[in-house]
């Protein structure tokens, strides 16, 4: 397994001004860096790719859908626009030099229409991701759909639901991301969810129960890593935590994080913690 950190620790809007973060990841002893994507047209993709290549670092992408992009909207024109947006996300992921695109790509975060998921919405999601298959194959991209907690979506909360969606989509390039922050809320057992997913698990976000420093909360990361090893998982353990810094007022952590924990600590202390987990789990 490889270890990386999400740029969400510093910013949700990655611009040219953040390019100097990329060489720091290699200095921190990490293998990869995850780039947030809201609007693919706003990412300086070529400059980001050159920085990754210059530092022998791997890139993964986590996409969050804008409010006007919704693959499960009852409005067919919105669904068509959503597919176009997702194709652009795939193309930009390839332009970045990455081969994994993850995130809650089925609906915008906070889309809560006041009813339980229905069959029409399920079918629309299946149709959308099936239609994305050609772009995934053309650009050699794997898709990792991320279930998130009930406060952020009604559509996919649990690994079993995400696995069922992937089964209906029927494309081996489409699998699941487990994020331990969300799974800590929704799963009876995170290790059990990992075992259930098997080969469908394509990406892992390691997040503490408060998005803070790994190991400072109550999530059983040792048990999770052991389950991943038993599952034969060999992808990324991507640290997704929030740090506080006055230098990055656009970061999620600027409003949410413990003010004594910096983005750099999320990466450095988190990376050291995960390396120790792997060392003592083998």
């Amino acid at each position: 397994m490889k270890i990386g950190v999400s740029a969400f620790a510093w910013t949700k809007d990655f611009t040219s001004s953040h390019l100097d973060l990329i060489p720091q990841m290699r200095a921190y002893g990490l293998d990869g860096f995850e780039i947030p994507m809201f609007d693919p047209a706003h990412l300086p993709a070529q400059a980001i790719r050159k920085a990754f290549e210059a530092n022998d670092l791997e890139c993964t992408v986590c996409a969050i859908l804008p409010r006007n992009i919704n693959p499960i909207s009852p409005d067919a024109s919105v669904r068509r626009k959503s597919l176009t947006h997702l194709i652009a996300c795939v193309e930009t992921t390839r332009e970045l030099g990455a081969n994994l695109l993850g995130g809650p790509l089925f609906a915008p975060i906070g889309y809560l229409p006041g009813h339980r998921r229905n069959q029409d919405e399920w079918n629309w999601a299946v149709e959308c991701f099936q239609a994305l298959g050609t772009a995934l194959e053309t650009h050699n991209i794997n898709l990792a759909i991320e279930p998130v907690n009930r406060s952020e979506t009604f559509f996919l909360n649990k690994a079993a639901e995400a696995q069922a969606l992937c089964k209906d989509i029927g494309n081996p390039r489409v699998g699941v991301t487990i994020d331990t922050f969300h799974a800590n809320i929704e799963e009876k057992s995170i290790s059990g969810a990992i075992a259930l997913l098997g080969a469908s698990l394509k990406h892992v976000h390691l997040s503490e129960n408060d998005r803070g420093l790994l190991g400072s909360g109550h999530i059983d990361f040792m048990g999770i890593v052991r389950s991943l090893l038993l599952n034969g998982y060999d992808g990324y353990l991507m640290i997704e935590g929030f740090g506080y810094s006055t230098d990055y007022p656009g970061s999620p952590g600027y409003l949410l994080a413990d003010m004594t924990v910096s983005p750099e600590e999320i990466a450095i202390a988190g990376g050291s913690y995960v390396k120790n987990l792997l060392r003592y789990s083998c």
Side-chain angles (χ1 to χ4, degrees):
M1 286 182 273
K2 295 176 284 189
I3 303 171
V5 67
S6 169
F8 270 127
W10 290 265
T11 183
K12 63 181 178 62
D13 299 308
F14 201 93
T15 69
S16 296
S17 68
H18 300 104
L19 291 172
D20 61 348
L21 291 173
I22 293 173
Q24 293 179 36
M25 300 306 115
R26 178 54 68 193
Y28 297 159
L30 300 174
D31 304 300
F33 195 35
E34 187 153 283
I35 301 298
M37 180 189 292
F38 289 82
D39 184 343
H42 290 167
L43 280 175
Q46 284 298 316
I48 293 172
R49 180 171 186 157
K50 287 179 182 178
F52 272 94
E53 291 173 347
N55 291 279
D56 191 27
L57 199 72
E58 292 184 349
C59 176
T60 63
V61 178
C62 180
I64 307 295
L65 300 184
R67 292 288 180 186
N68 62 338
I69 299 297
N70 186 355
I72 60 170
S73 169
D75 186 330
S77 66
V78 173
R79 299 199 301 274
R80 288 191 295 270
K81 182 169 67 172
S82 300
L83 176 59
T84 299
H85 175 90
L86 287 170
I87 290 171
C89 288
V90 170
E91 292 170 345
T92 302
T93 298
R94 180 71 274 167
E95 192 177 359
L96 289 165
N99 61 17
L100 185 133
L101 168 64
L105 300 167
F106 41 82
I109 291 294
Y111 176 64
L112 297 163
H115 60 253
R116 289 181 179 266
R117 182 186 66 224
N118 61 45
Q119 192 61 48
D120 282 340
E121 290 160 335
W122 187 267
N123 293 342
W124 292 330
V126 170
E127 290 167 7
C128 178
F129 291 117
Q130 285 179 337
L132 197 60
T134 298
L136 296 173
E137 191 65 33
T138 299
H139 297 287
N140 191 29
I141 302 297
N142 290 320
L143 196 73
I145 298 171
E146 179 180 343
V148 298
N149 74 79
R150 66 192 68 189
S151 297
E152 299 183 34
T153 189
F154 75 112
F155 188 74
L156 282 187
N157 304 127
K158 298 179 181 180
E161 297 168 345
Q163 186 184 50
L165 182 66
C166 292
K167 182 178 179 181
D168 284 357
I169 293 166
N171 184 337
R173 287 192 174 275
V174 179
V176 181
T177 292
I178 276 192
D179 182 308
T180 60
F181 171 81
H182 298 293
N184 173 65
I185 298 170
E186 296 296 343
E187 303 291 350
K188 299 295 187 185
S189 164
I190 299 177
S191 295
I194 291 167
L196 173 72
L197 286 172
S200 297
L201 181 61
K202 292 191 178 294
H203 197 49
V204 174
H205 284 162
L206 292 185
S207 302
E208 193 51 91
N209 61 282
D210 64 349
R211 294 287 197 195
L213 285 175
L214 297 186
S216 66
H218 65 243
I219 293 183
D220 177 18
F221 289 110
M222 180 66 81
I224 289 167
V225 168
R226 285 175 175 160
S227 297
L228 291 167
L229 289 167
L230 286 172
N231 196 45
Y233 178 75
D234 62 357
Y236 263 99
L237 301 176
M238 193 62 66
I239 300 162
E240 191 177 72
F242 298 160
Y244 175 80
S245 172
T246 55
D247 294 332
Y248 299 101
S251 71
Y254 188 76
L255 296 177
L256 299 173
D258 182 336
M259 293 176 68
T260 67
V261 177
S262 69
E264 290 75 21
E265 287 176 288
I266 293 291
I268 298 169
S272 177
Y273 178 78
V274 177
K275 287 175 185 177
N276 283 331
L277 286 177
L278 292 172
R279 185 177 300 119
Y280 293 115
S281 297
C282 295

